[in-house]
């Protein structure tokens, strides 16, 4: 079955850390850029981090810069989001999404973050930060 599956969410106190994972099955993530998005109740979906397929370049939203780190392990077909110094405002459902990138072209992270541009979406994992 071709899918992305997130895991690792949970409940953590303010200032704590969590690592969420995005594992691909049925396809290889090597040639895909992967974005992490989050959506809190009553709020729009927000792109928080992205990692490019070709050179591993990363992008972070200002709200998480310096606290979150995105990485990929192609051998495990998985992308991670390490979240440190968590705040209550980080509480949300976290989703990963993958978009294919031509390996012959140096690519950047998608700028428009249009949902339909992504080839695969995960089902989401809940992250709750208590104050």
């Amino acid at each position: 079955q071709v899918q992305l599956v997130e895991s690792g969410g949970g409940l953590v106190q303010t200032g704590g850390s969590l690592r969420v994972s995005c594992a691909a099955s049925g396809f290889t993530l090597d040639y895909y850029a992967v974005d992490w998005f989050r959506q809190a109740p009553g709020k729009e979906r927000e792109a928080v981090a992205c990692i490019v397929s070709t050179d591993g370049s990363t992008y972070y939203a200002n709200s998480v810069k310096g606290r979150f780190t995105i990485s990929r392990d192609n051998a495990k077909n998985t992308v991670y989001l390490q979240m440190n110094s968590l705040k209550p405002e980080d509480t949300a459902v976290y989703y990963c999404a993958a978009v294919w990138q031509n390996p012959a072209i140096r690519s950047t992270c998608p700028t428009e973050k249009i949902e339909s541009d992504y080839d695969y979406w995960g089902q989401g994992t809940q992250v709750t930060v208590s104050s």
Side-chain angles (χ1 to χ4, degrees), residues 112-123:
E112 296 297 324
K113 310 295 186 187
I114 299 173
E115 183 173 342
S116 59
D117 285 347
Y118 291 84
D119 299 293
Y120 304 104
W121 283 85
Q123 83 291 348

Side-chain angles (χ1 to χ4, degrees), residues 8-26:
L11 174 64
V12 64
Q13 291 185 334
T14 296
S17 299
L18 275 177
R19 188 179 76 163
V20 290
S21 302
C22 172
S25 61

Side-chain angles (χ1 to χ4, degrees), residues 11-16 38 40-41 43 67-68 84-94 126-131:
L11 174 64
V12 64
Q13 291 185 334
T14 296
R38 66 185 181 187
K43 294 188 176 181
R67 300 187 298 122
F68 289 14
N84 299 328
S85 302
L86 283 161
K87 306 174 182 179
E89 50 264 44
D90 294 318
T91 295
V93 177
Y94 283 72
Q126 176 71 47
V127 172
T128 303
V129 184
S130 63
S131 56

Side-chain angles (χ1 to χ4, degrees), residues 40-82:
K43 294 188 176 181
E44 292 187 355
R45 186 174 293 176
E46 175 189 17
V48 296
C50 174
I51 187 164
V52 173
S53 63
T54 49
D55 61 5
S57 298
T58 56
Y59 156 85
Y60 298 95
N62 288 334
S63 57
V64 306
K65 198 172 293 184
R67 300 187 298 122
F68 289 14
T69 302
I70 188 171
S71 63
R72 65 194 305 152
D73 186 338
N74 287 345
K76 294 184 178 180
N77 218 22
T78 300
V79 170
Y80 303 98
L81 185 67
Q82 176 69 43

